[in-house]
Amino acid sequence: MVDLYKKTYGFEDLREIMAYLRRPGEGCPWDAAQTHASIRKNFIEEAYEVCEAIDQHDNSHLCEELGDVLLQVAFHTCIAEEEGAFTMEDVCTGICKKLIQRHPHVFGAHGKLDTPEETYAVWDAVKAQEKQQKSYTDAMNDVARSLPALMYAEKVQGRAKKSGFDWPAVSGAMDKVREEAAELQECLDRGTDISEELGDLLFAAVNVARMQSVDPEEALVRATRKFMDRFALVEQMAGEQLRTMSVEDMTALWEKAKEQTKRS
């Protein structure tokens, strides 16, 4: 059992604690019952909490959240070791070999590269070779479908761009947004299912964001937070009357909140 009174712990301590928690009859019943699938969402949640700490420029919070991500790595690897699938050494060996192989300009005979763009191109080429991607469709299929939808769309569009299949200017992408918006309106007018046309509109909007070097995920988060800030002002101005106000009255308060947030 790991020393419970150490001032500092290392990665091997984490592995030992995790293994003990999973030990039948001695550890924690909840930890012992988990599988890769049951804690899958935990990994996603912890990764996003790391992003939140980065956005907040909070190093203390970042340190804590990175520890939570490291726990997820140890947790999944512990389960795999019990199943005889792979070990932590396998995980470390795989990532170290990948880093070496994808940096031939550092560890190989590729020659020195001077810009991030050059190094990314080499990384991408080596990655495609490793994954035996023989077509642009192969590269698209390699994008993880478990990504958030906006990020998934952006990455697929980026792979398509490498083939030359892209708008020559953002004006073409904006025309597509208007076209998809019109088709969505037609569905609404007919009273038919809008899901496909709505998806097409979102995909077209992502194209505009990508061509303007705007992260669509971040843009939507900012828009959502802006909505929350303005709604908070509406609620503050309305007070207890908010629940009984008409939509017209709330809209009028919304316009006032909009002006206030613009000035600030």
Side-chain angles (χ1 to χ4, degrees), residues 11-42:
F11 187 64
E12 288 305 314
D13 295 315
L14 174 60
R15 292 180 64 186
E16 187 177 343
I17 291 170
M18 194 69 252
Y20 189 83
L21 289 172
R22 293 272 301 174
R23 194 171 300 165
E26 295 184 75
C28 170
W30 185 90
D31 288 293
Q34 300 314 302
T35 65
H36 290 305
S38 70
I39 58 172
R40 173 184 177 274
K41 289 186 178 179
N42 299 49

Side-chain angles (χ1 to χ4, degrees), residues 48-196:
Y48 274 103
E49 289 181 0
V50 167
C51 294
E52 182 76 9
I54 292 171
D55 292 343
Q56 293 172 346
H57 305 286
D58 187 335
N59 285 330
S60 177
H61 188 199
L62 178 59
C63 179
E64 178 186 353
E65 297 304 339
L66 286 173
D68 290 343
V69 169
L70 193 59
L71 168 61
Q72 294 302 310
V73 174
F75 208 149
H76 281 282
T77 306
C78 185
I79 294 171
E81 287 177 334
E82 292 167 2
E83 296 173 347
F86 56 81
T87 67
M88 184 60 74
E89 285 69 27
D90 294 328
V91 173
C92 293
T93 297
I95 188 58
C96 287
K97 285 186 175 181
K98 182 185 292 185
L99 287 171
I100 292 168
Q101 188 166 336
R102 293 188 186 178
H103 289 83
H105 53 291
V106 177
F107 302 111
H110 186 282
K112 184 181 178 183
L113 299 176
D114 297 317
T115 68
E117 292 75 19
E118 289 175 320
T119 57
Y120 182 80
V122 170
W123 172 282
D124 213 32
V126 174
K127 179 180 178 181
Q129 186 177 13
E130 286 174 1
K131 295 181 176 291
Q132 298 181 326
Q133 295 172 355
K134 298 179 180 179
S135 68
Y136 293 106
T137 302
D138 287 343
M140 289 182 194
N141 286 332
D142 190 54
V143 178
R145 296 187 182 187
S146 56
L147 286 171
L150 295 179
M151 190 182 298
Y152 179 61
E154 181 188 27
K155 283 188 172 290
V156 168
Q157 291 172 4
R159 302 289 168 92
K161 178 183 178 180
K162 292 177 182 178
S163 73
F165 188 67
D166 198 15
W167 302 104
V170 73
S171 58
M174 277 302 302
D175 288 341
K176 190 65 176 176
V177 168
R178 285 185 279 269
E179 175 188 325
E180 298 298 350
E183 291 180 6
L184 175 60
Q185 185 63 57
E186 288 176 11
C187 284
L188 289 168
D189 293 340
R190 292 195 302 266
T192 55
D193 180 32
I194 68 167
S195 56
E196 182 177 348

